[in-house]
Amino acid sequence: MNTTELNNFIVILIYGSLVLLSLLELTNPLKGNKKANAWFGIFLFLWSTFWLDEILSLAKGSEFDVHSLLFVQVIQFLTPIIFYFSVLFFTNPAFTFKISDLKYAILPVIFLANILFHRFVVFYIDGVFQIVFLILILSQALFYTVLSYITIRKHQKRIQLFSSNTEGINLNWLEHIIVVIFVMNIIFLIYNIFYDANALNYLMNFIFLMVVYFVGCYCLRQKEIYPVEEKQLHELISIEDISNDKEEVKRKLISDEELSKIKTALEDVMKVEKPYLDSELNLIKLSQILSVSTHQLSYVINTGFQKNFFQYVNEYRIEYAKILLKDNGSKLSTLGIAYESGFNSKTSFNTTFKKITHQTPSEFKKISSGL
């Protein structure tokens, strides 16, 4: 098998994998993140069209420029927007489109108008069309790539307001996809301008195939980020909105006396009942234990302790882990201690331990043992 044949085989794998993944996301067999998975499934299908010309050329045995078709050009242009919509619904399942969201149609309308003018207005110059065409595609892709990345980064901070374990719901895999695709597109653009892009085609397709498999691995096992129960969902989202509103934060949700009372009750519960040992502990569960609202509990933790929920709970977990690490007679491994302390993975345990103590668990154990 020569390089060309191998590249053709990789293209078939990319296209077939994306179409299959699209179907799986749209049918959503795990029934989680329904709207987000639907939009992500559409994105995967649109993404597959970038290899459609190579697939059709292989089928026909001759060159077939599918990218010249108006319909294909439009849906390919919409690909970054659809990806951004999937990110919006992953990070906020309660998101609904409003009249103001018609702003998302501005660039597509300009793009479509540019194509139609080129096709039907005689005096429209090819060189000008190509420049405008390229600027619109690159600006659109760059804008929504950056916007998606910023949205995910904000989400990773927001989930710390209500979740004690963010691994699995922080959407790191989407963030990694954005970075890889962005870097690859920059490389491909540079090669298009200064070098022969065909020389890079095989390598790029191989990397894209790895990216597609990475996407398949993570998108199909992405668990529900927010509670399915609608009332709880809106409670958590409203907490996020309040935390982002500086005026709301300044306003007292409860009296100082009530704050002190809940604060004391919270510390007693944490020390006696040790709810932090539950790896699935979240703001809703803890508020139910204390018989207070999620808004009140969030306010007490933020105002009374100057911490978010994630920091508050994990500091207790780390203190508990320290006790286990100091026990020289314990036969628990680092992973065992992580689970016993309420963490759901060794990675999150090590990362959190290092962030709070500025030491790894192994370093702490050696120092505490006098080694």
Side-chain angles (χ1 to χ4, degrees):
M1 181 181 289
N2 57 37
T3 304
T4 302
E5 291 173 336
L6 183 59
N7 185 59
N8 291 340
F9 178 66
I10 291 173
V11 168
I12 293 171
L13 288 178
I14 292 173
Y15 183 77
S17 298
L18 284 173
V19 172
L20 177 60
L21 277 176
S22 172
L23 178 62
L24 289 172
E25 284 291 287
L26 288 169
T27 55
N28 195 11
L30 298 180
K31 307 300 179 186
N33 305 296
K34 293 181 180 179
K35 292 180 181 178
N37 281 331
W39 282 102
F40 194 71
I42 296 171
F43 156 72
L44 291 172
F45 181 77
L46 299 189
W47 193 22
S48 72
T49 63
F50 286 87
W51 287 271
L52 190 56
D53 59 332
E54 294 178 77
I55 292 295
L56 292 176
S57 296
L58 287 173
K60 292 178 58 114
S62 59
E63 291 293 324
F64 190 89
D65 186 14
V66 72
H67 300 303
S68 62
L69 300 176
L70 177 62
F71 174 71
V72 175
Q73 287 178 334
V74 172
I75 66 172
Q76 287 182 345
F77 187 77
L78 291 174
T79 303
I81 305 179
I82 302 301
F83 177 79
Y84 175 63
F85 287 164
S86 73
V87 170
L88 278 181
F89 281 103
F90 270 122
T91 57
N92 181 6
F95 175 80
T96 53
F97 288 104
K98 307 175 186 67
I99 297 296
S100 60
D101 293 321
L102 285 173
K103 62 181 178 286
Y104 297 122
I106 294 174
L107 282 176
V109 168
I110 294 173
F111 179 78
L112 181 60
N114 181 58
I115 294 176
L116 293 177
F117 268 109
H118 173 66
R119 294 196 176 191
F120 300 109
V121 179
V122 177
F123 58 84
Y124 203 73
I125 305 169
D126 276 340
V128 175
F129 165 75
Q130 292 297 336
I131 292 172
V132 175
F133 185 85
L134 187 61
I135 289 174
L136 283 171
I137 289 177
L138 291 178
S139 59
Q140 157 106 331
L142 179 62
F143 176 75
Y144 284 105
T145 297
V146 172
L147 195 57
S148 297
Y149 183 82
I150 292 172
T151 303
I152 292 171
R153 296 295 289 183
K154 286 181 179 178
H155 165 77
Q156 291 168 345
K157 292 180 180 179
R158 288 171 182 169
I159 55 176
Q160 293 188 5
L161 297 172
F162 65 84
S163 179
S164 63
N165 266 319
T166 58
E167 195 173 53
I169 62 172
N170 55 20
L171 299 176
N172 270 349
W173 61 279
L174 276 176
E175 187 181 25
H176 296 153
I177 291 170
I178 291 170
V179 172
V180 171
I181 293 178
F182 179 76
V183 171
M184 289 174 67
N185 283 333
I186 293 296
I187 294 172
F188 195 68
L189 177 63
I190 292 171
Y191 259 79
N192 262 312
I193 297 173
F194 299 104
Y195 305 100
D196 178 15
N198 292 325
L200 194 66
N201 196 37
Y202 164 71
L203 178 60
M204 291 287 284
N205 279 334
F206 179 77
I207 296 174
F208 267 120
L209 180 63
M210 295 300 103
V211 172
V212 170
Y213 286 155
F214 175 85
V215 171
C217 177
Y218 283 92
C219 74
L220 294 177
R221 66 180 189 180
Q222 175 63 57
K223 64 181 182 181
E224 196 79 47
I225 297 172
Y226 289 85
V228 178
E229 206 274 308
E230 190 172 346
K231 182 181 177 182
Q232 293 179 347
L233 168 62
H234 286 287
E235 277 183 13
L236 295 182
I237 290 174
S238 65
I239 289 171
E240 293 177 15
D241 293 338
I242 290 173
S243 69
N244 291 329
D245 190 330
K246 293 181 180 179
E247 292 302 319
E248 284 288 341
V249 172
K250 290 178 183 177
R251 184 172 65 85
K252 287 186 178 182
L253 294 181
I254 54 177
S255 66
D256 291 339
E257 183 182 349
E258 186 68 15
L259 186 148
S260 179
K261 181 181 176 182
I262 297 175
K263 184 178 176 181
T264 301
L266 174 59
E267 288 181 303
D268 290 341
V269 165
M270 295 297 279
K271 290 173 183 176
V272 178
E273 298 185 28
K274 296 180 173 62
Y276 55 85
L277 297 180
D278 176 10
S279 63
E280 299 301 319
L281 180 69
N282 57 33
L283 188 68
I284 293 173
K285 284 185 178 181
L286 191 54
S287 66
Q288 290 171 345
I289 294 172
L290 290 164
S291 298
V292 298
S293 72
T294 53
H295 287 81
Q296 289 175 331
L297 180 56
S298 180
Y299 179 79
V300 168
I301 293 174
N302 294 338
T303 306
F305 296 97
Q306 299 298 309
K307 298 168 185 173
N308 60 40
F309 181 78
F310 178 85
Q311 292 167 331
Y312 179 75
V313 172
N314 280 289
E315 283 183 8
Y316 273 95
R317 287 174 174 166
I318 294 303
E319 289 303 315
Y320 188 83
K322 284 181 179 179
I323 297 172
L324 297 180
L325 287 166
K326 287 178 181 178
D327 184 2
N328 294 325
S330 174
K331 294 183 179 179
L332 285 173
S333 63
T334 303
L335 180 60
I337 290 173
Y339 287 148
E340 285 291 318
S341 304
F343 292 93
N344 53 18
S345 76
K346 186 176 179 180
T347 302
S348 61
F349 173 55
N350 287 337
T351 303
T352 307
F353 197 97
K354 181 73 180 285
K355 187 173 183 179
I356 292 175
T357 68
H358 306 292
Q359 296 174 309
T360 64
S362 301
E363 289 170 347
F364 177 85
K365 188 175 179 66
K366 285 181 181 179
I367 292 171
S368 62
S369 301
L371 298 176

